[in-house]
Amino acid sequence: MNNIALITGVTGQDGSYLAEFLLAQGYEVHGLIRRHSTQNTERIDHILEGPYNGTKFFLHYADTTDSSGLIRLVSEIKPTEVYNLAAQSHVGISFEVPEYTAEATGVSTLKLLEAVRMFGGSCRYYQASTSELFGGIPETAPQSEKTPFYPKSPYGAAKLYSYWITVNYRESYNMFACNGILFNHESPRRGENFVTRKITLAIANILAGKQEKLSLGNMNAKRDWGFAGDYVKGMWLMLQQDKPGDYVLATNETHTVREFVEAAFGQCGIEIKWEGEGVNEKGIDAKTGRVLVDVNPQFYRPAEVEFLWGDCTKAETELGWKRDVDFKGLVAMMMDSDLKEIAGMTCEEYKAKN
Ligand code: NAP
Ligand code: G4F
């Protein structure tokens, strides 16, 4: 049987890594893209410019809020696996656009599940669930598949609906539907307004003399940060099992935003010392005394998830999933990539010059 995948969110960080991974496994890959007023394919341009385009890799215009398009795609493509990665995925912005987030991140999942149930035959289904579901339960850590949910944002609440409707379709219609409860995963392709990429991009700009300082919100928040390339393998593994299930993917390590800042500057040979507290906190170059980091309450959220730390024992044991990149490796990869793009040199080269 030919393996045919349909990926929603193929232009996003995870979609681009997943498309690469599945093509390397010999899949025919179809990606759902939505229309933009400007071209929006930078994360997959290298695939579009390669030999897979038009032979194994195909893009289709649709929108996951539009069920007619989803029905058309599922019935025409006849995928053997559907990966539902599309979402309004920014937690902070979900407070600004709560109703749209409910549609795009919540109800759209139902629309796709219905399309698969009605026209997908024995197609397997992956739902991009999230550690944001755990939200406000810091006393239960590390968090696993057994930890209760308590979302703290419109995004988390929409994803909670998507999680349970996926479980419900599995139980009601015997569908092979899985939730990947993924902790934060990052890469050089991470959107520029998520905190890790904001930090590495700002540092690269500061070192290139193009930005004065980095302004952040809550630096005490703790996250379990892994590498997106490792996590897409886990998504695929979930759909290769005998039985469907729900799995946490994480690194089992947690760090504050402040520690990420320190590690990223450290990668370029700059030691940060901290002064002040709360909105008055400043990150200062220990050698020169220059203020490089400050706090801007504009980046605080109305409600915050303070602490995420994942236990991925089930995925390691049942799926044989393992990750190759640790926290230090992730910071180095992202910092190198942005510095190279902006200043034309790696962190090692920068350190040698300064
Ligand atoms: P991302 O970079 O923000 O990508 C989101 C993708 O969804 C983009 O391709 C976007 O298309 C697409 N999209 C959004 N709304 C859509 C709509 N109405 N119709 C069609 N496509 C739409 O997100 P990511 O980091 O790759 O994450 C992938 C998925 O995993 C998301 O569902 C996210 O919520 C979830 N997740 C992510 C993490 C993480 O740490 N990265 C952790 C847990 C769960 P455009 O390019 O057109 O905007
Ligand atoms: O990078 P973030 O925006 O990611 P967040 O909110 O953890 O959400 C990401 O991971 C989830 C999985 O747990 C995904 F479901 C979701 O789709 C997304 O990919 O923020 C991380 C932390 C937060 O506590 C935030 O308040 O960093 C804090 N932070 C501090 N200053 C900031 C900033 N976040 C952003 N985006 N920008 C800041 O300036």
Side-chain angles (χ1 to χ4, degrees):
M1 191 174 77
N2 281 343
N3 288 319
I4 304 172
L6 171 62
I7 304 174
T8 73
V10 74
T11 53
Q13 171 188 258
D14 292 6
S16 65
Y17 283 109
L18 181 64
E20 276 170 16
F21 176 78
L22 294 176
L23 288 165
Q25 307 287 315
Y27 279 60
E28 179 178 310
V29 175
H30 295 259
L32 184 161
I33 58 164
R34 46 180 185 168
R35 189 261 168 185
H36 286 256
S37 61
T38 54
Q39 191 74 359
N40 180 44
T41 52
E42 40 313 342
R43 293 188 180 105
I44 51 170
D45 278 343
H46 60 290
I47 308 178
L48 292 169
E49 285 154 15
Y52 289 129
N53 193 34
T55 58
K56 286 268 191 187
F57 186 63
F58 305 91
L59 294 180
H60 309 266
Y61 280 105
D63 190 300
T64 54
T65 60
D66 170 12
S67 50
S68 62
L70 299 177
I71 289 170
R72 175 175 57 82
L73 287 189
V74 171
S75 27
E76 283 176 12
I77 295 165
K78 300 190 180 11
T80 54
E81 294 171 11
V82 167
Y83 294 86
N84 187 24
L85 309 185
Q88 190 302 91
S89 73
H90 198 285
V91 175
I93 292 172
S94 78
F95 289 95
E96 310 291 322
V97 287
E99 189 178 330
Y100 175 70
T101 302
E103 282 293 333
T105 306
V107 178
S108 290
T109 302
L110 171 69
K111 295 177 181 176
L112 185 53
L113 280 165
E114 268 293 88
V116 172
R117 180 179 77 83
M118 290 189 289
F119 301 101
S122 56
C123 173
R124 296 183 169 203
Y125 177 90
Y126 173 85
Q127 175 59 31
S129 287
T130 167
S131 50
E132 277 291 305
L133 295 175
F134 301 124
I137 314 207
E139 60 274 16
T140 320
Q143 295 128 357
S144 75
E145 296 80 1
K146 295 194 178 99
T147 306
F149 296 142
Y150 180 6
K152 298 277 279 186
S153 63
Y155 169 83
K159 282 285 186 185
L160 185 74
Y161 175 76
S162 286
Y163 175 92
W164 282 117
I165 200 67
T166 300
V167 172
N168 180 256
Y169 269 54
R170 178 169 77 218
E171 293 175 350
S172 305
Y173 305 115
N174 204 24
M175 280 174 63
F176 196 109
C178 299
N179 280 293
I181 308 168
L182 271 49
F183 282 67
N184 298 49
H185 44 280
E186 320 290 313
S187 74
R189 297 183 200 168
R190 185 57 143 153
E192 295 171 5
N193 58 0
F194 294 94
V195 79
T196 56
R197 186 76 199 290
K198 179 174 168 180
I199 293 167
T200 58
L201 207 49
I203 295 175
N205 276 310
I206 290 168
L207 299 187
K210 296 177 180 171
Q211 186 171 332
E212 197 199 329
K213 59 181 168 47
L214 163 66
S215 296
L216 292 169
N218 178 10
M219 284 198 278
N220 296 319
K222 287 187 144 188
R223 289 292 181 274
D224 179 328
W225 280 297
F227 170 52
D230 287 338
Y231 286 50
V232 300
K233 289 182 207 157
M235 297 176 187
W236 174 76
L237 281 169
M238 289 177 211
L239 297 198
Q240 311 314 308
Q241 305 307 304
D242 292 337
K243 283 188 191 154
D246 307 315
Y247 296 89
V248 162
L249 299 184
T251 68
N252 207 227
E253 230 184 290
T254 189
H255 296 273
T256 60
V257 170
R258 190 179 295 101
E259 284 164 2
F260 194 102
V261 172
E262 284 168 5
F265 272 112
Q267 198 60 32
C268 308
I270 297 168
E271 189 196 337
I272 296 290
K273 66 174 190 210
W274 300 96
E275 282 180 9
E277 273 178 32
V279 288
N280 297 317
E281 184 168 4
K282 305 240 180 302
I284 295 167
D285 183 333
K287 207 151 105 188
T288 65
R290 178 179 163 195
V291 174
L292 296 174
V293 188
D294 69 6
V295 174
N296 184 338
Q298 176 199 335
F299 301 113
Y300 287 158
R301 294 169 181 182
E304 176 65 287
V305 172
E306 292 288 350
F307 185 78
L308 292 175
W309 175 26
D311 172 359
C312 57
T313 309
K314 183 180 174 192
E316 286 174 341
T317 317
E318 290 186 16
L319 307 178
W321 178 71
K322 64 174 182 57
R323 64 196 164 85
D324 292 324
V325 181
D326 62 8
F327 176 74
K328 202 168 179 305
L330 175 70
V331 175
M333 178 200 297
M334 292 179 70
M335 201 53 253
D336 255 341
S337 168
D338 278 331
L339 197 60
K340 206 157 193 186
E341 184 67 30
I342 287 163
M345 61 182 107
T346 63
C347 297
E348 283 309 314
E349 287 164 350
Y350 178 84
K351 276 198 280 189
K353 275 194 169 176
N354 290 275

